[in-house]
């Protein structure tokens, strides 16, 4: 059982105070099996049954003059000295199939088919109508297809993972903003994400490690439309899924070297890049687009016996970037959240 503390609206004694109590009970059964055909190939299968029950009690002390009513209310809109009670039941079956084939001593291949889900629930932030709470959103289901290779050289100095995937969503949960109603989770009929990932770890020398990763993901709504506050149906089929950068790239260097007896110096440097993306799929204004950014982090330090001293720097180039561009929960004002500027510090530690 848990509750959300009151949230306060602006101005003198004016405030909106939603209160939520949810009891969440879940039950699951799972089984798995593995069949080995030979030293080169095997099949793994599994299945999970999940059931979830949520019991909701909700009330809100609102400000009807700005479209946030007192909840619950009767059929005529008059407040009731009580709580709104609703319940939710959800059931899901999640199968798994995986085939692994060892091509040779260096290369392993695999194919995986799996199904997962994200449970449904209730919208319990600031709400403008009783139905916004009373009508739960449905669970989200995704079927994932993945094929990949795992490569390792005989000296174990080079390791590479390659994978390609396709994710097929049904009833994808989408956060939609509505003026004077805040954010509300709704279900898109269908969506899909396809992409490719690569991970590389290389030890060209005993004191140097280089790691790199690259990801490409293209996500779109296949079938999604909703009715906005003006009663107009908006079709977002074909639009990109929000919060999904199309490309990501990372590079990491770890170098250490003996400087003197019992003294080892080291350097860690990390590059992190991602392309632009937006947080709100229903907003078409360029304002809501987070531009591409590159971050560089650097650690310089040394070990002396059991002591370690590190000079660390985050966002070395002092890049100005945003982590979110969204709307204010109550008034709908535009908001942007910036990432941390360049920060530096010294860390001293002792191992005993």
């Amino acid at each position: 059982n848990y509750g959300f503390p009151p949230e306060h609206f602006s101005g003198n004694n004016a405030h909106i105070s939603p209160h939520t109590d949810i009891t969440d009970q879940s039950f699951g059964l799972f089984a798995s099996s593995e069949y080995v055909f030979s030293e080169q190939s095997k099949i793994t299968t599994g299945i999970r049954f999940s059931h979830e029950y949520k019991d909701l009690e909700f009330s809100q002390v609102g400000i009807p003059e700005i479209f946030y009513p007192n909840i619950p209310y009767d059929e005529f809109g008059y407040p009731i000295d009580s709580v709104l009670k609703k319940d939710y039941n959800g059931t899901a079956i999640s199968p798994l199939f995986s085939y692994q084939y060892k091509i040779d001593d260096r290369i392993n291949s695999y194919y995986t088919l799996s199904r997962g889900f994200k449970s449904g629930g209730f919208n319990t932030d600031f709400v403008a109508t009783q139905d916004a709470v009373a009508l739960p959103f449905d669970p989200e289901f995704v079927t994932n297809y993945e094929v990949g290779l795992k490569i390792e050289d005989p000296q174990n100095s080079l390791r590479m993972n390659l994978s390609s995937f396709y994710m097929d969503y049904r009833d994808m949960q989408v956060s939609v903003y509505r003026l004077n109603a805040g954010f509300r989770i709704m279900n898109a009929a269908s969506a899909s994400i396809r992409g490719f990932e690569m991970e590389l770890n290389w030890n060209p020398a005993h004191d140097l490690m280089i790691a790199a990763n690259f990801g490409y993901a293209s996500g779109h709504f296949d079938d999604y439309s909703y009715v906005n506050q003006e009663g107009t149906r908006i079709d977002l089929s074909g639009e990109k899924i929000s919060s999904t950068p199309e490309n990501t790239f990372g590079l990491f260097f770890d170098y250490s070297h003996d400087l003197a007896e019992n003294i080892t110096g080291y350097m860690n440097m990390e590059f992190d890049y991602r392309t632009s993306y937006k947080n709100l799929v229903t907003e078409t204004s360029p304002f809501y687009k987070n531009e591409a950014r590159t971050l560089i982090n650097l650690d310089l330090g040394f070990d002396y016996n059991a002591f370690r001293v590190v000079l660390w720097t985050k966002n070395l180039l002092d890049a100005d970037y945003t982590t979110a561009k969204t709307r204010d929960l109550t008034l709908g004002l535009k908001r942007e959240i910036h990432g941390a500027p360049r920060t530096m510090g010294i860390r001293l530690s002792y191992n005993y």
Side-chain angles (χ1 to χ4, degrees):
N1 225 7
Y2 62 91
F4 294 99
E7 299 284 350
H8 293 282
F9 189 64
S10 65
N12 300 326
N13 295 321
H15 64 277
I16 302 170
S17 298
H19 184 80
T20 305
D21 282 308
I22 297 178
T23 300
D24 190 344
Q25 298 176 336
S26 60
F27 171 79
L29 289 173
F30 64 92
S32 64
S33 65
E34 182 176 282
Y35 182 79
V36 179
F37 288 99
S38 64
E39 292 184 356
Q40 288 183 296
S41 63
K42 66 178 179 179
I43 286 178
T44 302
T45 60
I47 191 167
R48 178 182 177 88
F49 171 83
S50 303
H51 179 77
E52 188 174 37
Y53 172 80
K54 295 181 180 181
D55 182 69
L56 167 72
E57 292 186 357
F58 180 85
S59 63
Q60 175 176 277
V61 178
I63 306 176
E65 292 80 8
I66 59 168
F67 310 107
Y68 287 94
N70 297 305
I71 294 177
Y73 52 77
D74 62 20
E75 58 182 318
F76 302 105
Y78 293 105
I80 303 173
D81 186 17
S82 180
V83 294
L84 180 67
K85 295 184 178 182
K86 292 292 176 179
D87 59 61
Y88 163 83
N89 282 278
T91 299
I93 297 177
S94 306
L96 166 71
F97 172 84
S98 178
Y99 175 69
Q100 301 174 55
Y101 180 75
K102 186 176 182 179
I103 298 174
D104 57 34
D105 291 338
R106 299 175 303 156
I107 305 175
N108 284 283
S109 64
Y110 68 91
Y111 171 78
T112 299
L113 170 62
S114 60
R115 187 172 188 256
F117 82 104
K118 183 191 296 184
S119 64
F122 300 93
N123 290 287
T124 55
D125 289 322
F126 298 119
V127 294
T129 67
Q130 197 160 265
D131 285 346
V133 183
L135 300 176
F137 52 87
D138 293 329
E140 170 187 291
F141 294 91
V142 58
T143 302
N144 183 51
Y145 308 83
E146 183 175 346
V147 59
L149 294 173
K150 297 181 181 292
I151 304 169
E152 186 171 336
D153 76 350
Q155 288 77 35
N156 295 321
S157 65
L158 177 66
R159 292 175 295 279
M160 180 183 294
N161 296 328
L162 303 172
S163 65
S164 179
F165 61 88
Y166 176 78
M167 304 173 74
D168 183 17
Y169 286 87
R170 291 292 180 268
D171 294 324
M172 179 183 239
Q173 294 173 6
V174 181
S175 181
V176 176
Y177 179 82
R178 295 191 173 215
L179 186 62
N180 299 322
F183 290 96
R184 196 173 161 188
I185 296 178
M186 306 173 72
N187 293 97
S190 62
S192 58
I193 300 176
R194 54 181 57 83
F196 171 84
E197 292 179 346
M198 181 201 74
E199 296 179 352
L200 173 70
N201 284 273
W202 182 36
N203 295 93
H206 75 279
D207 53 4
L208 176 62
M209 189 274 285
I210 301 173
N213 62 78
F214 172 78
Y216 167 78
S218 177
H220 296 82
F221 292 108
D222 299 321
D223 182 13
Y224 177 39
S225 65
Y226 74 99
V227 178
N228 65 13
Q229 289 172 294
E230 289 75 34
T232 303
R233 179 163 292 278
I234 306 298
D235 188 0
L236 294 177
S237 301
E239 291 291 326
K240 284 188 176 183
I241 298 172
S242 58
S243 299
T244 306
E246 193 163 83
N247 294 291
T248 58
F249 174 72
L251 190 60
F252 180 79
F253 297 91
D254 186 356
Y255 176 73
S256 61
H257 186 73
D258 292 334
L259 303 176
E261 186 177 357
N262 298 327
I263 300 177
T264 302
Y266 68 91
M267 178 191 74
N268 296 331
M269 180 173 284
E270 178 186 15
F271 297 82
D272 182 19
Y273 169 79
R274 63 180 54 193
T275 53
S276 61
Y277 65 97
K278 62 179 182 177
N279 297 101
L280 299 178
V281 67
T282 54
E283 301 290 348
T284 57
S285 169
F287 169 83
Y288 295 99
K289 181 180 179 181
N290 295 287
E291 298 297 337
R293 60 101 173 121
T294 300
L295 298 180
I296 300 177
N297 303 320
L298 176 66
D299 288 359
L300 297 173
F302 67 88
D303 294 335
Y304 175 68
N305 292 328
F307 289 93
R308 168 167 286 195
V309 179
V310 181
L311 171 64
W312 57 266
T313 306
K314 303 294 184 183
N315 192 3
L316 179 66
L317 300 182
D318 199 24
D320 183 14
Y321 66 100
T322 56
T323 59
K325 289 190 174 183
T326 182
R327 282 183 177 268
D328 176 78
L329 186 62
T330 52
L331 298 179
L333 302 177
K334 293 179 179 179
R335 296 180 59 212
E336 59 179 27
I337 301 172
H338 286 256
R342 181 194 297 121
T343 54
M344 304 177 67
I346 295 178
R347 184 171 59 248
L348 175 64
S349 60
Y350 176 78
N351 294 319
Y352 57 91

